Amino acid sequence: MRHPARAVGGAGAVGGAGAVGGAGAVGGAGAVGGAGTGRRRCRNVLCGGGPPGPPRFASPTPPMPENAPDRSAAPPVRSAVLLGGTGLVGGHVLRLLARDGRWGRVVTLGRRPMEPASHRHEDHVVDFDRLADSADLFRCDDLFCCLGTTKKQAGSKEAFRRVDLEIPAEAARLARAGGAAQGLLVSALGADADSRIFYNRTKGEAEEAFRDAGFEAVQVVRPSLLTGDRDEVRPGERAAEAVLGALRPALVGPLRRLRPTPAVDVARALVAIAAAAPPGDHAYGPRTIAWWARHV
């Protein structure tokens, strides 16, 4: 039974500069391991690694789902809309989609123009405060939302919620109204709409907004702290990466999911999952992200 959509207008502070461009903000302080009961739990065994508890696969290698990509058949050409294409994860997603023949059209929406990644790529500058004015651009098969910021970047809780919750929620509604069957969202390990931790609660509310949009398939990836080369410097995340990197040998068993997640693996997993398009609502933790990343 689907729960009513939560209000997406909100307050909530999380720090700094505030541009909508980039995914990869998913890892921040307090993002790992949320509190709260969680009103929704994923119905799929592919949730391995997501909260609460350890991955649920019995074997080290998760089984290949029956509806994984069939390389022997030529799939129909699809279209995709990508938000956050200038960010850490979104940049990788764009490059993968732009050279993948399963998508004949890849549309990026952002505040600033960007260079085309291929002949399949078309870029549009939009006003995220008037996103409904660009509703026609959301006509697609798959919506990829890789937006994310940090407390320091956003400057306030309201600004953080705008980037990580309100814009994704509005994009999901517009894409669904434009015919999109599948919504894919970069969230974070520990996301929980009932969490007392502001970051985790906001991420959980964004997940709920995607589920409430009415897609035939919702794919949520929940990485741990993201690693990769950024255009911007995030001292807090660098420090957390160093600490978790030093602790990596000790992060085994249920703690393995706390190991940093390479952004390129998140992107590869998103594209592989999008191609498989398992119907229903699904969430993927770090362990399952790593598995899907090998099957793009």
Side-chain angles (χ1 to χ4, degrees), residues 100-153:
D100 193 319
R102 291 171 290 191
W103 283 270
R105 179 171 175 258
V106 180
V107 177
T108 52
L109 306 178
R111 293 191 187 278
R112 299 177 301 277
M114 59 188 302
E115 292 295 322
S118 76
H119 67 280
R120 299 189 184 97
H121 174 209
E122 60 180 73
D123 179 60
H124 296 270
V125 175
V126 299
D127 182 351
F128 283 96
D129 292 325
R130 299 173 59 90
L131 207 53
D133 293 348
S134 303
D136 287 347
L137 297 177
F138 283 89
R139 297 183 183 277
C140 63
D141 297 301
D142 305 306
L143 171 67
F144 292 80
C145 186
C146 303
L147 293 174
T149 187
T150 65
K151 293 182 179 181
K152 185 174 181 179
Q153 282 185 307

Side-chain angles (χ1 to χ4, degrees), residues 176-257:
R176 182 56 183 150
Q182 181 171 223
L184 301 102
L185 175 68
V186 177
S187 183
L189 185 63
D192 186 337
D194 290 323
S195 176
R196 289 174 293 179
I197 299 173
F198 173 76
Y199 181 93
N200 293 0
R201 184 170 67 251
T202 302
K203 290 294 186 182
E205 289 174 342
E207 292 184 8
E208 287 199 342
F210 256 62
R211 295 184 183 111
D212 290 337
F215 292 111
E216 296 173 18
V218 173
Q219 323 295 350
V220 174
V221 292
R222 294 172 178 163
S224 183
L225 180 71
L226 292 170
T227 59
D229 296 327
R230 297 182 185 274
D231 293 333
E232 60 192 344
V233 178
R234 295 183 177 179
E237 291 187 7
R238 290 290 188 188
E241 182 179 341
V243 171
L244 290 176
L247 293 175
R248 184 180 178 87
L251 298 177
V252 296
L255 297 179
R256 186 182 181 90
R257 65 188 185 135

Side-chain angles (χ1 to χ4, degrees), residues 257-268:
R257 65 188 185 135
L258 300 182
R259 292 181 178 183
T261 306
V264 66
D265 281 1
V266 178
R268 289 173 63 86

